[in-house]
Amino acid sequence: MEFFDPIRARLPFPLMQEHCSINNLPTAQGWDKLLVKLEEEIQISAARSAQIDQALATIFRETISVGTRAVKVFRLPPDEAPLIAARLAEFAPEDSPFMATYPRPIDSNELAVMPAGVFLCDVGRPEQDGSTTLVFCGRRILEEREARTRAQLGDAAVNQFGWGQYDEFVFVRRRYVQSFEIVRVDVTRALLELRVEDHSGVDSGSALEQLQVKVNGLLAPHFGMQLQLVNPINLFPAIKALYDDQAAGIVVELGFTTDTGSSKHEKMRSSRADLRLEQFHVGGKAAVNGILTPFRVAVRWAEEGQRTQEEVLLPGSIRMLGSAHPYLDHMVLSGALTEAKMQATLQRVVDHLPAPE
């Protein structure tokens, strides 16, 4: 059961329900009820307890590379991709405090005194085509904000600190969490992915930059400066292409401008309804002769009978439209149950990009 809390901290419960069905674990309505059922089944026999422990370890290892991830993608020279993957596969895990418990996360209190940076902790076995996945661990700071009213604080506290002129207060709590960051070289597609955990309220951009610097440090001794990761693929063109492609999943969020001078940000309340077909959106689009300029989009895909949905968010901003060549350097992928589904979702975005020159 040592992996239960780390899984709970990283995985949306609908994904956990799918994992439970696949791994012969009980299902329940919510994490607390699932925990009770697991603890009951552990008491059945030593063999069942071992099965549950193994299943939870397997599920956690899966969450290390998937989950909600901010992703940068770089194109590699096709003839160099196999060699790059092979070189990275030769590296050994670095000596770091993370290795003492890997893959189990380190306690938050221990993270507070650990050095900054990311450290190589695992090198996956090369895939059939030579593709390679590396796992790095580091620490991130999460900020949790909680609003309080004067009534909740009480007059004594308000008066003690001289806050009488304020009506509402926001408290910020910061804590360290261990991050699992992924580098994957896809030999067949000649792509290199950087994936970092996308925690709510955390700047994933700085984590992606840190991981990019780390990988460049690994590549430099073997390939020199000519193969440094500099400019990730520009994902901005995929925003409009995904929205325009009626066969590309269901659009659940869209930011766009119109030629009449307005900007809109629309979201669907139903997770399985397509904004492209929503009555208000269709009517508004017709009123401006169908001329929209999207700058942000979220698209979901779900297989028939599947409870979970893979989603890609291309988080462009209206400011990008002011540039002659709008540029978006990352996407956010979520909802993927397995590495294969993660790859399929990423490929859907790549398929909607212009062909490389």
Side-chain angles (χ1 to χ4, degrees), residues 4 6 42 67 83 95 111 113 127 133-135 158 175 201 242 261 271 284 319 326 328:
F4 184 85
I42 281 176
L83 182 57
D95 183 18
L111 286 172
V113 296
E127 299 170 26
T133 299
L134 283 70
V135 182
V158 171
R175 61 186 178 89
L242 281 166
S271 64
R319 295 187 303 273
L328 176 64

Side-chain angles (χ1 to χ4, degrees), residues 243 251-256 258 263-269 274-285 292 295-298:
Y243 169 73
V251 172
V252 294
E253 180 181 349
L254 185 71
F256 62 95
T258 70
S263 64
K264 312 290 184 185
H265 188 183
E266 300 180 350
K267 283 188 175 182
M268 296 301 293
R269 287 186 298 174
D274 194 342
L275 187 146
R276 301 183 188 99
L277 306 176
E278 192 268 330
Q279 187 176 358
F280 184 86
H281 181 76
V282 172
K285 186 176 180 180
L292 306 180
F295 58 81
R296 177 186 178 96
V297 72

Side-chain angles (χ1 to χ4, degrees), residues 57-310:
T58 299
I59 293 169
F60 181 74
R61 281 190 172 274
E62 192 77 62
T63 68
I64 285 176
S65 63
V66 295
T68 302
R69 296 274 170 174
V71 184
K72 280 185 178 181
V73 185
F74 297 82
R75 294 196 189 277
L76 301 175
D79 56 336
E80 297 282 359
L83 182 57
I84 294 171
R87 290 295 188 196
L88 289 178
E90 292 173 357
F91 282 93
E94 296 178 275
D95 183 18
S96 73
F98 296 106
M99 291 306 298
T101 62
Y102 183 86
R104 182 170 53 84
I106 291 177
D107 179 79
S108 178
N109 294 327
E110 295 180 47
L111 286 172
V113 296
M114 288 185 55
V118 289
F119 301 88
L120 179 60
C121 290
D122 194 10
V123 179
R125 181 177 301 175
E127 299 170 26
Q128 189 172 2
D129 67 346
S131 298
T132 300
T133 299
L134 283 70
V135 182
F136 295 79
C137 289
R139 68 175 188 179
R140 305 266 290 277
I141 299 177
L142 290 188
E143 285 192 356
E144 298 171 344
R145 296 174 178 267
E146 298 179 0
R148 294 288 186 270
T149 63
R150 290 169 58 93
Q152 289 173 317
L153 287 183
D155 291 337
V158 171
N159 294 332
Q160 178 182 354
F161 294 104
W163 292 341
Q165 71 272 34
Y166 300 104
D167 298 313
E168 189 174 10
F169 309 88
V170 177
F171 291 86
V172 179
R173 177 171 53 196
R174 297 183 177 91
R175 61 186 178 89
Y176 288 102
V177 296
Q178 181 172 333
S179 61
F180 293 82
E181 322 292 32
I182 302 299
V183 174
R184 185 174 188 276
V185 179
D186 189 310
V187 170
T188 301
R189 294 182 292 180
L191 298 176
L192 186 147
E193 305 165 35
L194 303 182
R195 301 184 205 161
V196 302
E197 292 184 279
D198 189 64
H199 296 290
S200 177
V202 174
D203 182 8
S204 299
S206 60
L208 282 167
E209 290 293 334
Q210 185 180 49
L211 186 58
Q212 184 174 333
V213 170
K214 179 73 175 187
V215 175
N216 280 336
L218 297 178
L219 293 175
H222 295 285
F223 302 101
M225 299 304 294
Q226 68 272 22
L227 278 178
Q228 292 284 282
L229 305 179
V230 179
N231 296 317
I233 294 175
N234 181 13
L235 302 173
F236 195 88
I239 295 174
K240 187 176 189 305
L242 281 166
Y243 169 73
D244 288 342
D245 184 358
Q246 300 291 321
I250 58 173
V251 172
V252 294
E253 180 181 349
L254 185 71
F256 62 95
T257 61
T258 70
D259 283 357
T260 56
S262 66
S263 64
K264 312 290 184 185
H265 188 183
E266 300 180 350
K267 283 188 175 182
M268 296 301 293
R269 287 186 298 174
S270 170
S271 64
R272 295 182 182 269
D274 194 342
L275 187 146
R276 301 183 188 99
L277 306 176
E278 192 268 330
Q279 187 176 358
F280 184 86
H281 181 76
V282 172
K285 186 176 180 180
V288 294
N289 298 317
I291 303 175
L292 306 180
T293 304
F295 58 81
R296 177 186 178 96
V297 72
V299 186
R300 289 180 183 165
W301 291 265
E303 297 176 7
E304 188 69 27
Q306 180 178 295
R307 286 179 290 185
T308 59
Q309 300 176 85
E310 293 85 49

